[in-house]
Amino acid sequence: MSNPWPPTARRFLTVAALVVALEAFAVIAFAVVELSSLDSGRLGVGVSSAVFFVAYGALQLTAGVLLLRGRTGARGPIVATQLLQLGIAWNLRGADPDTVVVPNLALLVALAAGVVLVCVLAPPVNRSIMEREAAEAAEASGETSGDA
């Protein structure tokens, strides 16, 4: 399958998709950890949290794949999840270093979200999306480049 994006936009989107995939796998791993630490006192909260995190990670993975395949509508969910990631990073900034498994977790989450946002909102990506949507709109209205 050929890549639907021009080379410059493809580079930005590939980096973004890789970081989103890493984030998604981390969120899904967190869900597994949540399930493994269940006890009878918090069964409902633990299971519902795990289900949420698996769904969140699956949304991220799906959006990343769809964007790489040329679906411009997948950019919105990616931007939304990265804004959520920035909120999570903000909440983690004051976490007790003894309770956080990964050192500087807040910084890592914020940097990952920042990289993804810069990549999916980069001018070459915006230009490519605008051109793609204009071509799709022209095609939908029955106009083609060969019509005079």
Side-chain angles (χ1 to χ4, degrees):
M1 180 174 103
S2 66
N3 195 306
W5 299 106
T8 306
R10 185 177 343 152
R11 283 191 286 276
F12 280 110
L13 293 174
T14 301
V15 169
L18 288 173
V19 174
V20 165
L22 289 173
E23 290 173 343
F25 288 127
V27 168
I28 292 169
F30 181 75
V32 171
V33 170
E34 182 70 16
L35 284 175
S36 69
S37 66
L38 285 179
D39 61 25
S40 61
R42 54 183 292 282
L43 186 63
V45 171
V47 169
S48 62
S49 295
V51 168
F52 170 79
F53 288 120
V54 167
Y56 183 76
L59 169 72
Q60 286 184 295
L61 282 174
T62 303
V65 168
L66 289 175
L67 191 62
L68 284 178
R69 290 186 176 175
R71 302 309 271 287
T72 60
R75 189 167 75 152
I78 289 175
V79 170
T81 59
Q82 297 315 302
L83 294 175
L84 287 171
Q85 299 287 92
L86 288 174
I88 290 168
W90 181 258
N91 285 329
L92 288 172
R93 77 190 186 289
D96 181 14
D98 296 330
T99 61
V100 176
V101 177
V102 178
N104 299 313
L105 183 60
L107 181 61
L108 290 174
V109 171
L111 283 174
V115 165
V116 173
L117 287 171
V118 165
C119 288
V120 298
L121 299 173
V125 174
N126 286 336
R127 189 171 27 261
S128 296
I129 287 175
M130 289 173 58
E131 290 169 359
R132 176 178 295 269
E133 289 175 348
E136 288 172 0
E139 183 178 307
S141 68
E143 300 172 13
T144 61
S145 59
D147 290 348

